[in-house]
């Protein structure tokens, strides 16, 4: 007679949230880096390997996959790869952001608007472009800033702000205009009262009327030669170029400069680019902001 086994404690299956990252070879990671750069132009440096592996593994868990090669095949070969690619790009590119994130850069924009001729502002709508806008906080921040600047000068708020990003899920979030309270930590109380409405605990709706001034478009910075934006008076490109190789940064800036109106303002992230010059641009003497103005005759 077979001896009856003693009762064993239930086997604990390690949850996904506690499991270690699935093993992956450096060769496989390099394939992922090459795919990401080929499709988006963005570079995942070796020192960000953990970032890449963690985000890949997070999405693989949701899909019930444990093999990086299998996920790679799905991204490159499966019929639904475009949808899945969009989800993954969202994970890799959209970082936590907030309203009024870089006050020095925003003051540069504010000063620029204050110096524009009244006749120009009254006759021609002011067009601004937020490059790499993620979930829209930067776009709506510019809407507030421009609206306030024009109103203070006694002008009708004739303007539009276009936000572009490679992440479709991020743009969809931006179009809702609803944000958690933590994204508003740098918004002054009077501005929050004027432009935000508490719609449920911890969630705020951006001013619906001002939302009509904003437009969101999916766009890949590696394909800016196809962009349809031209004669923009303000191009705001903060904390975006760091994801690209130096030669591609210069290529992106060349395309942005071509789309800037004469006298227009280009605002970049401080430290994102060094020793760069363009014959059509003049550097503004701003201490804490990297900004250029397009020459009038360019």
């Amino acid at each position: 007679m077979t001896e009856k086994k003693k009762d064993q404690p239930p086997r604990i299956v390690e949850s996904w949230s506690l499991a270690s990252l699935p093993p992956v070879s450096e060769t496989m990671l390099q394939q992922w880096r090459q795919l990401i750069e080929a499709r988006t132009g963005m570079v995942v440096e070796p020192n960000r390997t953990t970032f890449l592996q963690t985000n890949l593994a997070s999405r693989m868990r949701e899909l019930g996959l444990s093999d990086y090669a299998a996920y790679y095949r799905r991204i490159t070969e499966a019929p639904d790869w475009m949808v899945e690619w969009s989800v993954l790009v969202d994970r890799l590119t959209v970082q936590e952001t907030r309203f009024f994130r870089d006050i020095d850069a925003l003051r540069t924009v504010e000063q620029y608007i204050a110096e524009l001729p009244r006749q120009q502002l009254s006759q021609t709508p002011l067009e601004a472009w937020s490059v790499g806008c993620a979930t829209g906080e930067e776009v709506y921040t510019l809407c507030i800033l421009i609206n306030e600047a024009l109103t203070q000068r006694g002008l009708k708020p004739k303007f539009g702000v276009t936000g572009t990003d490679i992440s479709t899920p991020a743009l969809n979030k931006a179009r809702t205009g609803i944000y958690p309270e933590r994204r508003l930590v740098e918004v002054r109380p009077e501005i929050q009262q004027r432009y935000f409405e508490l719609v449920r605990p911890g969630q705020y709706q951006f001013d619906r009327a001002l939302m009509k001034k904003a437009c969101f478009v999916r766009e890949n910075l590696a394909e800016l030669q196809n962009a349809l934006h031209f004669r923009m008076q303000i191009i705001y490109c903060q904390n975006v170029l760091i994801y690209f190789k130096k030669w591609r940064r210069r290529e992106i800036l060349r395309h942005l400069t071509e789309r800037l109106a004469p006298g227009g303002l280009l605002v970049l992230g401080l430290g994102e680019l060094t020793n760069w010059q363009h014959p059509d641009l003049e550097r503004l003497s701003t201490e804490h902001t990297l900004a250029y103005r397009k020459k009038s005759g360019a």
Side-chain angles (χ1 to χ4, degrees):
M1 183 175 179
T2 305
E3 182 180 357
K4 184 179 180 180
K5 294 182 179 179
K6 294 181 180 180
D7 291 339
Q8 298 292 325
R11 179 171 175 264
I12 299 175
V13 179
E14 191 176 35
S15 69
W16 274 113
S17 61
L18 299 176
S20 58
L21 295 175
V24 58
S25 68
E26 179 56 37
T27 300
M28 188 73 252
L29 283 175
Q30 184 59 23
Q31 281 187 259
W32 276 105
R33 293 190 190 100
Q34 291 172 351
L35 178 67
I36 292 166
E37 183 175 357
R39 288 188 177 179
T40 70
M42 295 182 297
V43 178
V44 182
E45 299 289 355
N47 61 3
R48 302 187 76 212
T49 294
T50 301
F51 164 83
L52 174 61
Q53 188 178 358
T54 300
N55 280 279
L56 290 173
S58 173
R59 183 55 183 160
M60 285 161 53
R61 290 166 185 166
E62 295 171 6
L63 297 171
L65 300 173
S66 59
D67 180 68
Y68 292 90
Y71 186 36
Y72 185 90
R73 287 193 296 272
R74 175 163 182 173
I75 285 288
T76 55
E77 300 174 9
D80 66 343
W81 73 266
M82 291 186 68
V83 175
E84 182 53 38
W85 175 250
S86 179
V87 174
L88 179 60
V89 166
D90 182 61
R91 300 292 176 86
L92 295 173
T93 61
V94 179
Q95 308 300 318
E96 183 79 4
T97 185
R98 60 190 181 277
F99 287 85
F100 292 88
R101 181 176 180 178
D102 189 332
I103 196 64
D104 290 317
L106 293 170
R107 283 175 179 152
T108 299
V109 174
E110 192 174 42
Q111 182 64 31
Y112 168 76
I113 298 173
E115 295 174 354
L116 287 176
R118 287 180 60 87
Q119 184 177 6
Q120 176 183 336
L121 291 172
S122 61
Q123 293 180 349
T124 306
L126 183 66
E127 294 291 341
W129 178 9
S130 169
V131 182
C133 69
T135 47
E137 289 87 341
E138 187 173 275
V139 170
Y140 294 135
T141 294
L142 289 172
C143 283
I144 294 172
L145 187 150
I146 296 171
N147 191 65
E148 289 286 306
L150 295 179
T151 301
Q152 288 172 9
R153 294 187 64 180
L155 296 166
K156 292 183 179 180
K158 297 165 60 176
F159 69 91
V161 181
T162 300
T164 60
D165 201 275
I166 195 172
S167 169
T168 299
L171 294 173
N172 288 338
K173 291 176 186 177
R175 293 184 182 105
T176 70
I178 298 176
Y179 297 94
E181 189 172 16
R182 67 179 183 275
R183 305 286 179 88
L184 280 66
V185 293
E186 296 186 44
V187 179
R188 300 198 310 271
E190 67 273 19
I191 294 295
Q192 180 171 325
Q193 184 177 8
R194 195 175 306 157
Y195 292 101
F196 295 89
E197 177 188 359
L198 182 65
V199 290
R200 52 183 176 268
Q203 297 287 317
Y204 287 83
Q205 171 73 60
F206 183 67
D207 183 88
R208 293 184 185 277
L210 209 56
M211 283 179 66
K212 296 178 181 178
K213 301 284 190 180
C215 173
F216 295 95
V217 180
R218 185 186 182 280
E219 198 161 76
N220 187 341
L221 277 179
E223 301 171 355
L224 267 185
Q225 68 274 13
N226 301 320
L228 299 178
H229 320 289
F230 289 98
R231 299 187 69 80
M232 309 299 290
Q233 286 177 276
I234 299 170
I235 298 181
Y236 199 86
C237 183
Q238 286 268 303
N239 305 308
V240 178
L241 297 178
I242 55 174
Y243 294 105
F244 300 90
K245 289 182 177 178
K246 290 182 179 180
W247 70 267
R248 197 180 289 275
R249 294 181 195 183
R250 288 173 165 77
E251 184 179 76
I252 289 170
L253 289 172
R254 178 172 60 83
H255 289 305
L256 292 180
T257 301
E258 290 171 354
R259 284 154 178 77
L260 195 63
L265 176 71
L266 173 63
V267 180
L268 306 175
L270 193 63
E272 288 187 295
L273 200 67
T274 56
N275 301 321
W276 178 74
Q277 294 180 330
H278 191 286
D280 293 341
L281 300 178
E282 53 186 3
R283 171 81 186 272
L284 299 186
S285 57
T286 52
E287 183 178 356
H288 301 293
T289 306
L290 183 59
Y292 299 85
R293 191 161 187 165
K294 192 168 186 178
K295 297 174 183 178
S296 297

